[in-house]
Amino acid sequence: MNYWLVKSEPYEYGYHDLEEEGRTMWDGIRNYAARKHLRGMKVDDLVLFYHSRKGLEIVGICKVVKEFYPDPTAEKGDWSVVDVVPVKRLTKPVTLQEIKATPELQEIPLVRISRLSVMPIEESAFLRILEMGETSL
DNA sequence: GCCAACGTTGGC
DNA sequence: GCCAACGTTGGC
């Protein structure tokens, strides 16, 4: 089991949209590092959902239900998508500010590589974030 | 709205 | 194959 974090601008596609739809294809990734991580996702892996640009907080957890396959929205190039379903919202969203103020979370790519939109998260960091969000699985 | 960080493109 | 110029992302 691996853990991941994905970013989305809430006014483009927010956690609320995922809850309404019940399932979505995570498309539009056009960055090789992000693609590599996307392709590493396995069924049942858990994924933190972060709102970028507006909100700047982790709002919920989702789960991979289909491993990578070709991105139908890509007009050219070799790009991939995965399918995810919502699991639950965090009781309390965890803000980027809080994450940056937490010593054990300084190494996560969200802090270190601000432009990366799909990234792995260590289990310990994942659990710490759930704890900060007052959420259990 | 600005700008830093990073990726991509294209001339040489 | 280097690197300057440009584009994009995303925090501030």
Side-chain angles (χ1 to χ4, degrees):
Chain A
M1 161 82 91
N2 288 297
Y3 300 91
W4 311 90
L5 181 148
V6 294
K7 293 183 184 176
S8 184
E9 298 170 0
Y11 46 86
E12 294 293 336
Y13 192 88
Y15 194 75
H16 45 93
D17 295 309
L18 178 58
E19 285 177 325
E20 271 170 38
E21 274 194 284
R23 174 175 177 139
T24 199
M25 180 176 74
W26 203 263
D27 62 16
I29 298 298
R30 298 291 183 272
N31 169 285
Y32 293 111
R35 183 185 75 178
K36 180 181 135 215
H37 299 313
L38 200 75
R39 289 181 174 180
M41 291 182 179
K42 301 294 178 194
V43 168
D44 288 338
D45 280 358
L46 294 174
V47 184
L48 296 170
F49 194 119
Y50 174 79
H51 282 170
S52 61
R53 304 281 297 184
K54 289 280 178 196
L56 309 189
E57 56 192 13
I58 296 170
V59 292
I61 306 164
C62 48
K63 186 170 76 169
V64 177
V65 289
K66 184 173 179 183
E67 285 166 27
F68 80 90
Y69 57 100
D71 186 341
T73 70
E75 289 178 5
K76 61 186 180 113
D78 176 22
W79 301 107
S80 300
V81 295
V82 295
D83 287 358
V84 298
V85 296
V87 173
K88 61 162 61 172
R89 276 183 181 271
L90 298 188
T91 306
K92 186 166 95 55
V94 176
T95 67
L96 182 62
Q97 272 192 334
E98 291 175 80
I99 290 167
K100 286 186 167 174
T102 304
E104 325 71 292
L105 297 179
Q106 293 313 294
E107 299 304 312
I108 70 172
L110 185 68
V111 174
R112 306 200 65 185
I113 315 171
S114 69
R115 290 187 51 209
L116 188 61
S117 59
V118 180
M119 64 192 75
I121 291 280
E122 299 279 329
E123 182 175 40
S124 58
F126 180 87
L127 295 174
R128 184 79 177 89
I129 289 165
L130 288 201
E131 197 180 298
M132 289 164 73
E134 297 170 8
T135 303
S136 53
L137 284 170

